[in-house]
Amino acid sequence: MTTIQTATVTLPLPAEALYTFLADLSNHRVFLEPAAQSFQGDVDRHSYIIEIMGMKMPQEFVAKTRVPGQLLSLVPGAKKLFDHELRFEILANGQGCTLRLVDEADIPMMMQMMGAEKLLQGQLDSALTRIQELARSGNI
């Protein structure tokens, strides 16, 4: 199992507000696009297509764990490349809250050799940056 994680960032909003936004998986469109093509989502699941090295790869995630104000974890649904669990770890602090994304991934050897870990890190970092922008602009 490989652990891939972002830095921890401080966001200027209450932990509960961030959790409420993230817990509705249909909201993930705003920080996954434009890389996530053909996004479809509802409260409990979302699906989209990503293009990697010229190949279109369907992705589907469903909510696994919800701890209000603290944690949201997602796991692949029917369309998966490999087993993994993506966690949005939220912690309240005096200035708002902190957020870190962590992916525990069982990446197949062939995908490791193709740089899957680096691609996942890039996706997590991009999502975190976009969430920061949304929080700072008051759109969460």
Side-chain angles (χ1 to χ4, degrees):
M1 202 60 93
T2 301
T3 300
I4 303 163
Q5 64 186 18
T6 65
T8 300
V9 297
T10 300
L11 301 174
L13 68 156
E16 193 58 45
L18 178 61
Y19 172 81
T20 298
F21 172 78
L22 292 172
D24 181 346
L25 273 55
S26 68
N27 290 331
H28 292 204
R29 170 190 306 266
V30 297
F31 62 83
L32 291 174
E33 288 183 337
Q37 304 166 10
S38 303
F39 185 96
Q40 295 180 349
D42 61 33
V43 170
D44 297 317
R45 69 179 52 240
H46 60 54
S47 63
Y48 54 90
I49 297 171
I50 57 172
E51 192 168 324
I52 301 173
M53 297 169 44
M55 297 181 290
K56 293 188 183 265
M57 309 240 180
Q59 301 288 298
E60 181 181 27
F61 287 92
V62 296
K64 176 185 176 192
T65 306
R66 287 184 165 114
V67 180
Q70 298 176 25
L71 174 71
L72 169 68
S73 73
L74 309 177
V75 293
K79 299 174 185 174
K80 67 179 180 177
L81 296 174
F82 48 84
D83 288 324
H84 60 117
E85 182 172 341
L86 173 60
R87 296 189 313 269
F88 294 82
E89 298 176 344
I90 303 166
L91 182 63
N93 70 20
Q95 293 77 38
C97 67
T98 62
L99 174 65
R100 178 174 69 165
L101 281 60
V102 179
D103 201 341
E104 297 281 344
D106 189 13
I107 304 171
M109 184 58 70
M110 181 57 88
M111 292 183 82
Q112 285 181 19
M113 292 170 52
M114 295 171 62
E117 187 173 337
K118 191 178 224 180
L119 289 170
L120 280 172
Q121 184 70 59
Q123 289 174 336
L124 293 181
D125 290 342
S126 175
L128 183 64
T129 297
R130 185 70 180 120
I131 292 168
Q132 278 183 288
E133 292 168 357
L134 290 165
R136 289 182 180 146
S137 67
N139 291 313
I140 295 180

